[in-house]
Amino acid sequence: MDLQKQTAPAAAAELRASDADRDRIADILRDALAEGRLTADEHAERVEGVLGAKTVGELDVYIRDLPAAHQRHAPPHASAPNRPPAGAIPADPDDNLVAIFSANVRKGRWRAGRRIHAYAIFGSVEIDLSEALFEYRQVVIKAISVFGSVEVHVPENISLRGTGGGVLGHFEVETLDSPEPDAPVVYVDGWAVLGNIEGRPKRGRLVADILDRVHRKVDKSLRKHLDR
């Protein structure tokens, strides 16, 4: 047991660092700069090292002398479930998008309902949520493609789940987890019969209200330190 306790931290330190790990350390360094614990030169030097770090152990070196390194990190929020809770989403759709030997596109600044049905029969449906207003945290998209195509695009900072398949067709929904626990979750359910259904994030697009909440938290923290 003692040997396991000694080797466990070492094994964790050797894990490859992710972008999220680097962002966490960079946030700690930014707070340390705002608190006056680091000079501007020290902060710049450490951030440069963080960007080049390969393992978790290398990252920890840059905050070892800061209080945040000795505090228990909050556990990450649970990832979005693969299915919404029973009864959470009404059975009747808020929107019906139908394309029969035609094309139907919904994009731009629009309000996404809790349930959207899309039918592409010898046609194509595009549902672009990258600039949509999310009034609800959970959105279900029911997609049916018969000799057609249904494409769903979402912002990068929400969660995305997919359940379905294809009969001589293609069904692919990229799993996406938002770092924000209150971010919207989009569920794409469907079947492609000699057709195509895809769901993926649209690079560079973010839900504005999530960013606003994050910015408000950062501004509040900085104001608190500056007012001391």
Side-chain angles (χ1 to χ4, degrees):
M1 291 297 293
D2 292 339
L3 181 59
Q4 291 178 349
K5 291 180 180 179
Q6 291 174 1
T7 58
E14 294 172 0
L15 291 176
R16 300 286 290 189
S18 67
D19 289 339
D21 293 327
R22 296 185 186 90
D23 290 343
R24 178 178 61 83
I25 300 301
D27 288 343
I28 293 174
L29 294 176
R30 181 199 60 212
D31 291 341
L33 174 64
E35 294 169 359
R37 299 181 188 276
L38 296 176
T39 66
D41 290 340
E42 289 172 333
H43 175 263
E45 181 180 356
R46 295 193 186 198
V47 168
E48 183 178 356
V50 166
L51 295 177
K54 301 297 184 183
T55 67
V56 173
E58 292 175 6
L59 287 175
D60 290 340
V61 170
Y62 296 103
I63 61 170
R64 186 173 296 167
D65 58 348
L66 298 175
H70 305 282
Q71 297 173 356
R72 182 184 299 273
H73 298 302
H77 71 274
S79 60
N82 291 328
R83 302 291 305 158
I89 306 297
D92 296 329
D94 297 300
D95 289 290
N96 277 305
L97 302 178
V98 181
I100 302 176
F101 289 99
S102 62
N104 196 329
V105 179
R106 179 65 62 87
K107 65 179 180 179
R109 202 67 171 162
W110 61 288
R111 296 183 182 277
R114 285 180 291 182
R115 178 180 286 275
I116 302 169
H117 286 182
Y119 303 93
I121 302 173
F122 290 94
S124 65
V125 174
E126 180 184 356
I127 303 174
D128 190 342
L129 294 163
S130 62
E131 298 180 20
L133 296 171
F134 286 87
E135 293 185 330
Y136 305 98
R137 184 171 180 266
Q138 295 176 322
V139 176
V140 170
I141 298 176
K142 178 68 179 277
I144 300 295
S145 173
V146 180
F147 288 97
S149 173
V150 177
E151 295 185 6
V152 179
H153 302 287
V154 302
E156 286 188 293
N157 60 338
I158 73 167
S159 295
L160 178 63
R161 295 289 186 271
T163 302
V167 179
L168 298 178
H170 178 72
F171 179 92
E172 181 180 3
V173 175
E174 183 176 333
T175 299
L176 188 67
D177 279 308
S178 173
E180 285 290 312
D182 296 328
V185 185
V186 175
Y187 299 93
V188 180
D189 298 344
W191 282 93
V193 181
L194 291 167
N196 181 64
I197 297 176
E198 293 185 359
R200 62 187 70 254
K202 196 166 186 177
R203 302 305 177 191
R205 294 293 187 178
L206 304 174
V207 177
D209 59 344
I210 296 179
L211 289 179
D212 289 342
R213 285 203 303 273
V214 173
H215 290 161
R216 286 196 296 270
K217 290 178 182 178
V218 172
D219 291 342
K220 182 178 180 181
S221 177
L222 287 176
R223 285 197 301 269
K224 181 177 68 175
H225 293 310
L226 292 175
D227 291 340
R228 289 179 176 177

